[in-house]
């Protein structure tokens, strides 16, 4: 039986808690609260009620039949997280953490965001529960993500542009940690992916694993069995952990994570921490990172803002080293091609993040016989990406 993390939040040599003394206390409190409610029937009933009535779960599974036929290989299925309220998987996790905040009596919520997607999900749930919401975002990202800034403001959040360092996600992360240290008594820090110090990677994984648990029931109903492959894109790794986790104890099911190769791994302009990074410490945990020889975090690149993160959740680092999952990377151009194909052939506009997983699924399907089954986590819809795609299409089409 797979049983990670250990009591101290370690996934093999990864994970753990690398934070200041003040935050150790806050994390210990959070650990105890989570342990108390994790299996509490009333807590779980409220979580599942929100998922059903506010998010619209369970999300369906869809057979991409026309595309599978055109490819002439394995059958491709999509887990439709794009149909969730707010258009992606991120809402599953923020609901779980907001319910903990409510029980801890903390009515001030902070979060950091790069592309703005986690900011929008957090602002959404703060409106839903009547919490004060402060979102930290690098000022460079604020300028790039005008539409998501407007969404967060519509939902009642305060967006704080961070002017330090490179004025992007890692600087927003530092600023959120600083706020938390200062206001730890009344403030809950909602982290948006399976990263951060223990217990966040475990907690976010558990909340997101509703995705895989639904698949365990839905796949046999639809196809008579579990899939041969489960694929997901990997930024911080939360949609991937959400669909992988319930399948870890099914050794015949192969798990494949797809990172952003950007302009190509060899150019250095990518965001593939697992495929091309080395272990180090970022955001309070030990994991694979994109860093230089001096341990300085390097700038990352991906056409999809949601994959543009220099680290990855520590559990993926462990799944990679222990060979339970494998990781590959897809370039901007290949992801964009899969994006357009998915629009034309299936009538689904996927997120650019998701398009990386779809691209690899098509390549894999080509190499397999028709009776094999590939399940792809369709992590989100592409409405947010219209601007980026339109700009790139002028060059590509
Ligand atoms: C944020 C986001 C991702 C990347 O985050 P993970 O934690 O790796 O899942 C992927 N897809 C979509 C649609 C997103 O919004």
């Amino acid at each position: 039986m797979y049983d990670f993390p250990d009591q101290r939040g370690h996934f093999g040599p990864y994970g753990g808690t690398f934070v200041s003394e003040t935050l150790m206390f806050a994390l210990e409190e959070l650990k105890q609260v989570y342990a108390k409610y994790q299996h509490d029937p009333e807590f779980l009933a409220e979580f599942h009620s929100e998922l059903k009535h506010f998010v619209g779960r369970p999300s369906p599974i869809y057979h991409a039949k026309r595309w599978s036929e055109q490819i002439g290989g394995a059958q491709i299925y999509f887990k439709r997280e794009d149909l969730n309220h707010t258009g992606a998987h991120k809402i599953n996790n923020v609901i779980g953490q907001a319910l903990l905040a409510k029980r801890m009596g903390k009515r001030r919520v902070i979060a950091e965001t790069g592309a703005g997607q986690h900011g929008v999900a957090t602002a959404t749930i703060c409106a839903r529960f009547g919490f004060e919401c402060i979102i930290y975002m690098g000022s460079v990202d604020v300028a790039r993500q005008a539409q998501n800034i407007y969404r967060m403001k519509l939902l009642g959040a305060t967006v704080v542009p961070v002017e330090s360092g490179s004025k992007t996600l890692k600087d927003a992360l530092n600023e959120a940690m600083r706020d938390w240290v200062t206001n730890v008594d009344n403030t809950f820090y909602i982290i948006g992916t399976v990263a951060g110090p223990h217990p966040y990677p475990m907690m976010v994984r558990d909340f997101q694993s509703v995705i895989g648990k639904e698949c365990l029931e839905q796949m046999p109903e639809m196809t008579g069995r579990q899939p041969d492959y489960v694929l997901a894109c990997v930024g911080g790794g939360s949609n991937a952990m959400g669909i992988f986790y319930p399948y870890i104890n099914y050794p015949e099911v192969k798990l494949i994570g797809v990172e952003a190769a950007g302009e190509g791994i060899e150019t250095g302009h990518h965001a593939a921490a697992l495929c091309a990074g080395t272990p180090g410490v970022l955001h309070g945990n030990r994991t694979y990172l994109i860093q230089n020889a001096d341990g300085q975090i390097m700038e990352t690149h991906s056409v999809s803002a949601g994959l543009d993160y220099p680290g990855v959740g520590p559990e993926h680092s462990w799944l990679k080293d222990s060979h339970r999952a494998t990781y590959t990377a897809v370039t901007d151009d290949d992801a964009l091609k899969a994006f357009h194909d998915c629009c034309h052939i299936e009538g689904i506009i996927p997120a650019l993040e998701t398009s990386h997983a779809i691209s690899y699924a098509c390549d894999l399907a080509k190499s397999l016989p028709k009776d094999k089954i590939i399940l792809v986590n369709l992590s989100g819809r592409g409405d947010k990406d219209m601007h980026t795609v339109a700009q790139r299409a002028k060059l590509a089409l």
Side-chain angles (χ1 to χ4, degrees):
M1 269 295 275
Y2 180 89
D3 187 20
F4 290 93
D6 67 13
Q7 279 299 312
R8 290 162 60 220
H10 293 118
F11 301 89
Y14 304 108
T17 314
F18 294 83
V19 297
S20 66
E21 205 59 35
T22 334
L23 286 186
M24 284 306 271
F25 177 78
L27 290 164
E28 190 53 42
E29 182 192 20
L30 180 60
K31 218 171 98 180
Q32 284 173 15
V33 168
Y34 183 59
K36 178 174 169 194
Y37 290 112
Q38 183 176 20
H39 304 294
D40 177 61
E42 198 188 313
F43 177 84
L44 291 174
E46 191 176 355
F47 180 53
H48 287 287
S49 171
E50 290 295 326
L51 291 179
K52 181 175 175 184
H53 300 285
F54 190 62
V55 177
R57 302 202 74 89
S59 64
I61 285 179
Y62 168 80
H63 184 191
K65 207 170 168 186
R66 238 165 69 78
W67 206 352
S68 303
E69 269 165 20
Q70 287 190 16
I71 290 169
Q75 303 305 306
I76 299 173
Y77 287 79
F78 294 148
K79 175 63 170 165
R80 300 290 307 274
E81 293 298 299
D82 59 315
L83 295 178
N84 293 341
H85 176 46
T86 67
H89 65 290
K90 288 194 174 73
I91 191 80
N92 304 324
N93 163 52
V94 297
I95 287 176
Q97 292 192 50
L99 290 177
L100 289 177
K102 198 168 95 171
R103 280 161 177 76
M104 293 169 88
K106 299 192 176 183
R107 306 193 63 82
R108 180 177 181 271
V109 163
I110 58 169
E112 93 292 319
T113 193
Q117 292 302 107
H118 175 54
V120 171
T122 304
T124 299
I125 209 62
C126 287
R128 167 83 185 81
F129 289 142
F131 295 158
E132 181 188 356
C133 180
I134 290 125
I135 305 292
Y136 288 97
M137 194 165 177
S139 61
V140 168
D141 290 331
V142 170
R144 287 194 286 215
Q145 305 289 340
Q147 208 183 56
N148 275 338
I149 307 293
Y150 193 66
R151 277 199 190 110
M152 288 183 251
K153 288 183 178 169
L154 281 177
L155 292 159
T158 304
V159 180
V160 181
V162 175
E163 301 289 352
S164 57
S166 59
K167 306 178 198 224
T168 58
L169 179 62
K170 80 178 159 54
D171 311 291
L173 272 167
N174 292 336
E175 208 51 44
M177 294 283 240
R178 216 164 292 152
D179 179 312
W180 203 31
V181 172
T182 316
N183 302 296
V184 71
D185 289 340
N186 70 343
T187 298
F188 193 102
Y189 178 21
I190 298 191
I191 293 184
T193 189
V194 284
H198 181 61
Y200 282 101
M202 169 181 79
M203 211 167 65
V204 176
R205 172 200 72 192
D206 292 350
F207 291 138
Q208 288 293 4
S209 67
V210 64
I211 301 171
K213 283 181 197 156
E214 287 174 4
C215 295
L216 281 182
E217 291 191 10
Q218 291 168 316
M219 287 307 289
E221 279 170 17
M222 265 190 100
T223 70
R225 64 183 182 89
Q226 299 299 347
D228 299 293
Y229 295 85
V230 173
L231 267 61
C233 65
V234 177
S238 68
N239 87 88
M241 270 329 300
I243 196 164
F244 286 179
Y245 185 58
Y247 277 108
I248 286 180
N249 289 318
Y250 290 71
E252 67 285 4
V253 179
K254 294 179 185 68
L255 309 175
I256 304 178
V258 185
E259 298 191 300
E263 292 166 8
I265 301 268
E266 69 291 350
T267 66
H269 300 151
H270 62 82
L274 289 162
C275 293
T278 49
V281 171
L282 175 74
H283 202 187
N285 72 93
R286 186 165 188 277
T287 190
Y288 277 88
L289 303 176
I290 300 171
Q291 56 188 339
N292 66 17
D294 302 327
Q296 296 292 318
I297 301 299
M298 286 166 34
E299 246 190 81
T300 52
H301 166 83
S302 170
V303 68
S304 68
L307 299 186
D308 207 346
Y309 175 61
V312 64
E315 192 162 13
H316 286 292
S317 297
W318 174 237
L319 292 177
K320 171 188 157 82
D321 284 11
S322 62
H323 306 290
R324 178 59 190 93
T326 53
Y327 297 87
T328 182
V330 160
T331 62
D332 290 350
D333 287 347
D334 287 344
L336 278 159
K337 171 154 193 328
F339 171 91
H340 286 289
D341 287 348
C342 191
C343 295
H344 286 155
I345 303 170
E346 295 296 343
I348 295 172
I349 301 178
L352 283 175
E353 291 82 2
T354 317
S355 301
H356 289 72
I358 299 175
S359 169
Y360 189 71
C362 292
D363 285 347
L364 180 62
K366 278 177 204 151
S367 72
L368 295 169
K370 287 181 183 167
D371 62 347
K372 293 289 178 189
I373 297 175
I374 300 172
L375 173 61
V376 183
N377 195 5
L378 210 117
S379 58
R381 67 174 91 116
D383 305 31
K384 67 183 177 58
D385 298 316
M386 290 300 95
H387 187 68
T388 310
V389 173
Q391 268 184 347
R392 295 282 296 234
K394 274 187 214 136
L395 306 171
L397 284 186

